[in-house]
């Protein structure tokens, strides 16, 4: 107890965690920086394994290229860091890219530069992108704490480290930082706070209207404004959000015996040793292989490093699976997914939403695309009634019956959405009922192919977010069936697959000559598939105004948004999963 003029005050006693054991990972000093900046960001990156690049992170890596050159090129620093106390008097220490760790404080750090003069005292230098901020301490708290953490590690290894430097690459200025008692206590508190947060297994709430969010690289994963909006459950609008556009698109290869190889920063597609395409890797979101196509091993390695998945299809378009890198590290999300999939109430609650949204969107498709002179509104009234009935279903079996009745009404009038003879460039496509395995007419062939493409799209999206696509809630697990992908695609069947079919037919992109009949089945020709894929991808790239959040977003990004909102619901951040329904 220390007395002051204004009365006695109780001192805080640091209560550090016990020393780390072999099965607990050490905290990177960079994560302590993130924790001070935003605890939710640190949790997402450290516990859930989330990561996304932004202009800032790319610029930061570029700024560190000289520091990392010694390690990445295999060359050692001219002056390696000697052990604490072993440096000769007057010896100059100038060691780059040094990694130190300590089980005592549970920390590991890769230091950009360590300087000293052989008297036992060393100074860490941490490189930062951008210009020096004009603030009282010369830098912001997260950077100060990260540098101090490096100083604590150096002291654990036998050095004296009373201060350090922050070097700002943009302005080429050094800022001296003294490791006083207040900064040391703040650093230790941050280290222990992050450990406690990780051990607790509960993600912190998002920041409210913080200026930190718009420039954060994980803003599209964290979803701070969207989560706060849904948790408030009021009509308060979101602040204006500009959703980033993803310009990368899938590369489809369906030529028989094609070869895909890496050539510099491009992928080279050859057929019979003749180059057919040379797209840039940066413009590719995934590689879709149909049929007998060969991908070289170095190409697969590069695609895995860049987290560009390869999806494999039969020549007829049947989705076989996909290849990716190590997969997502978010075990916490998959644990919540499995836990929810064994809870009958969670399954029923989600399934109600999936089926209702599918029926609502099917009704919207009928209302938008009606081409018949028949003005009978009865199908629309029936679909509205079934959507309301789906919200009150008491079992998955009852939901299956409701979904079947809605599908019978929808596909029973699907022919009324197709352009008929007598209209401009009329096409002789006819449709009577939905059939498959095999589809017996061109419209059913395109519907089946569109659903296969949508299944592949959802499977890749769910895997990228961290889900297991094969464990669902409405569709029960079955060998080889991506149940969760089928769940999530239900509301989007009419909006994406059915819409692409109608667009390809009504715009004259696919013609009757683009089909081939074999036995009782009908399938698309290679040229027909190419044109239908173009219509499907164009639909995915189309922007729509989100009915809840009010911003414009492409369907391609919308699928990722919905997958992340499902994760927020399963992890307990949202009371309900908001399905997407359009007007």
């Amino acid at each position: 107890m220390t007395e002051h003029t204004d009365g006695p005050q109780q001192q805080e006693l640091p209560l550090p965690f016990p020393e780390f054991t072999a099965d607990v990972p050490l905290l990177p000093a960079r994560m302590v920086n993130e924790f001070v900046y935003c605890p939710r960001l640190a949790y997402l990156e450290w516990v859930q394994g989330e990561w996304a690049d932004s202009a800032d992170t790319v610029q930061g890596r570029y700024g560190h290229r000289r520091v990392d050159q010694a390690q990445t090129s295999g060359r050692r620093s001219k002056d390696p860091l000697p052990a604490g106390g072993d440096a000769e008097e007057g010896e100059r220490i100038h060691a780059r890219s040094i990694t130190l760790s300590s089980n005592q404080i549970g920390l590991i750090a890769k230091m950009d530069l360590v300087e000293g003069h052989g008297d036992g005292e060393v100074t860490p230098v941490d490189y930062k992108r951008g210009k020096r901020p004009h603030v009282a301490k010369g830098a912001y708290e997260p950077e100060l704490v990260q540098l101090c953490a490096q100083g604590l590690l150096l002291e654990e290894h036998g050095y004296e480290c009373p201060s350090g430097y922050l070097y700002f690459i943009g302005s080429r200025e050094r800022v001296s930082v003294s490791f006083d008692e207040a900064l040391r206590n703040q650093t230790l508190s941050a280290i222990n706070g992050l450990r406690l947060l990780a051990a607790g297994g509960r993600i912190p709430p998002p920041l409210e209207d913080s200026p930190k969010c718009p420039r954060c690289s994980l803003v599209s994963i964290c979803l701070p404004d969207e989560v706060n909006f849904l948790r408030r459950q009021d009509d308060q609008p979101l602040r204006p959000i500009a959703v980033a556009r993803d310009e990368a698109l899938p590369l489809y290869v369906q030529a028989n015996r094609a070869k895909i190889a890496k050539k510099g920063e491009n992928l080279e597609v050859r057929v019979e040793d003749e180059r057919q395409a040379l797209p840039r890797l940066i413009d590719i979101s995934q590689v879709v292989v149909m049929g007998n196509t060969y991908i070289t091993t170095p190409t697969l390695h590069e695609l895995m490093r860049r987290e560009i998945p390869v999806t494999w299809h039969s020549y007829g378009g049947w989705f076989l699976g996909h290849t990716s890198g190590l997969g997502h590290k978010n075990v916490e999300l998959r644990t919540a997914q499995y836990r929810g999939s064994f809870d009958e109430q969670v399954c029923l609650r989600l399934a109600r939403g999936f089926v209702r949204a599918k029926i609502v969107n099917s009704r919207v498709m009928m209302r938008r695309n009606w081409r018949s002179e028949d003005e009978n509104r009865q199908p629309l009234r029936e679909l509205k009634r079934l959507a309301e009935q789906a919200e009150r279903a008491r079992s998955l079996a009852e939901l299956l019956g409701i979904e079947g009745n809605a599908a019978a009404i929808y596909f029973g009038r699907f022919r009324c959405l197709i352009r008929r003879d007598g209209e401009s460039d009329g096409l002789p496509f006819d449709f009577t009922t939905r059939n498959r395995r095999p589809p017996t007419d061109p419209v059913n062939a395109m519907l089946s192919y569109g659903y296969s493409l949508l299944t592949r799209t959802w499977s890749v999206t769910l895997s990228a977010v961290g889900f297991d696509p094969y464990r669902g809630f409405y569709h029960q697990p079955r060998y080889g069936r991506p149940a969760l992908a089928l769940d999530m695609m239900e509301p989007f069947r009419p909006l994406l697959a059915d819409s692409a079919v109608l667009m390809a037919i009504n715009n004259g992109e696919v013609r009757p000559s683009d089909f081939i009949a074999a036995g009782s089945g009908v399938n698309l020709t290679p040229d027909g598939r190419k044109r239908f894929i173009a219509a499907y991808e164009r639909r995915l790239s189309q922007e729509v105004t989100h009915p809840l959040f009010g911003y414009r977003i492409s369907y391609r990004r919308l699928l990722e948004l919905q997958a992340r909102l499902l994760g927020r619901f399963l992890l307990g951040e949202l009371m309900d999963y908001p399905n997407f329904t359009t007007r």
Side-chain angles (χ1 to χ4, degrees), residues 296-317:
T296 66
T297 300
T299 302
L300 282 173
H301 289 179
E302 183 65 21
L303 293 173
M304 290 179 185
R305 275 192 292 269
R306 293 175 180 253
E307 297 183 4
I308 300 176
V310 180
T311 59
W312 308 89
H313 298 249
S314 68
Y315 187 70

Side-chain angles (χ1 to χ4, degrees), residues 404-434:
N405 292 336
I409 295 171
Y410 175 66
F411 286 115
R413 294 301 183 97
F414 196 75
R415 66 182 182 277
C416 298
L417 314 183
I418 300 172
R419 190 172 62 196
R420 316 301 301 168
D421 290 335
E423 300 183 35
S424 60
D425 300 324
L427 298 174
F429 284 97
D430 196 15
F431 181 87
T432 55
T433 186
R434 177 76 179 111

Side-chain angles (χ1 to χ4, degrees), residues 401-474:
I402 295 171
E403 183 188 10
N405 292 336
I409 295 171
Y410 175 66
F411 286 115
R413 294 301 183 97
F414 196 75
R415 66 182 182 277
C416 298
L417 314 183
I418 300 172
R419 190 172 62 196
R420 316 301 301 168
D421 290 335
E423 300 183 35
S424 60
D425 300 324
L427 298 174
F429 284 97
D430 196 15
F431 181 87
T432 55
T433 186
R434 177 76 179 111
N435 58 68
R436 53 183 183 157
R437 298 179 185 172
T440 59
D441 60 82
V443 178
N444 273 296
M446 281 191 288
L447 286 170
S448 294
Y449 191 60
Y451 295 149
S452 177
L453 294 176
L454 188 55
T455 303
R456 183 261 304 167
T457 302
W458 263 115
S459 295
V460 172
T461 299
L462 290 167
S463 296
V465 168
F467 284 105
D468 179 355
Y470 289 86
R471 184 72 193 184
F473 302 94
Y474 179 42

